[in-house]
Structures are given as structure tokens and as C-alpha cells.
Amino acid sequence: QVQLVESGGGLVQAGGSLRLSCAASGTIFSINPMGWYRQAPGKQRELVAAITGGSSTNYGDSVKGRFTISRANAKNTVYLQMNRVKPEDTAVYYCNFRWGSSDFWGRGTQVTVSS
């Protein structure tokens, strides 16, 4: 069983910064991809950023150049550094772990950006 716990969400002013953390426990391997997704009310869940075991990254178009994903393999932790946040970044952010053809999700952490 894989358990993912997000933290670091909260209220932040537009233009500010925030760092989200995802602590993973259970059968976790550093080679497995991990990522961050977000979902705003009434909208589809979308990819924010993903990272592979080889540290290859992929970002959603709306966050490129502003957000950075990283992982600390020894601690089974993935981070999302959010810079120059915008009100449209407001959403629940979910941590994701890919194991084979299965996806595991955290419960999410709320990020609210005020204008």
C-alpha cells in the first residue's frame, strides 16, 4: 500500500511563493514517476508537474517557468516550489505516485492565491 500526504498549502498573495511537500510511505521506489496535479472547483484535474526517477521533468503549460518539481529520494519526498503565483493557481493540489499501470493519490492540499 502506498500512502501520500501533502502539506504546505495555504493562503498566499499573488506574486508570492509557496512550497508544497508530499511525503510518501509504503512500497515506494525512487525510479517511479511522481507528480503534482491540481483541481479547481468545476474543472478537470490537470497535470501541474511530473518527475521521473531519472529526474526528467514535465510541466503544464500554465506553470512553466514559475513552478519547479523536485524529489528527495532518500526521504521519499517530492516538492513543488511555486513562484510568482497567480489567482488562477487556486486549486486543491494532489500528489501522485505511479506504480505500473496504477496511480496513487494523496488527499490534497488547498492553495488559495489572493489578488
Side-chain angles (χ1 to χ4, degrees), residues 26-87:
T27 308
I28 302 297
F29 300 97
S30 298
I31 60 173
N32 288 71
M34 296 186 70
W36 289 94
Y37 290 72
R38 68 186 183 187
Q39 188 168 22
K43 294 187 176 182
Q44 194 79 22
R45 184 174 298 186
E46 64 177 354
L47 172 71
V48 177
I51 187 168
T52 69
S55 297
S56 178
T57 59
N58 185 40
Y59 295 92
D61 290 339
S62 63
V63 307
K64 288 180 179 178
R66 299 189 297 119
F67 293 3
T68 303
I69 188 171
S70 62
R71 65 192 300 169
N73 293 333
K75 297 188 293 184
N76 293 323
T77 304
V78 63
Y79 303 97
L80 182 69
Q81 180 65 47
M82 306 168 61
N83 295 327
R84 304 188 303 279
V85 296
K86 304 175 181 179

Side-chain angles (χ1 to χ4, degrees), residues 3-7 21-25 34 36 75-78 95:
Q3 185 173 352
L4 306 172
V5 180
E6 302 95 337
S7 62
S21 298
C22 173
S25 61
M34 296 186 70
W36 289 94
K75 297 188 293 184
N76 293 323
T77 304
V78 63
C95 182

Side-chain angles (χ1 to χ4, degrees), residues 8 19-20 72 76 87 89 93 96 105 107:
R19 188 179 75 165
L20 306 183
N76 293 323
D89 294 323
Y93 285 70
N96 168 263
W105 301 91
R107 289 184 292 275

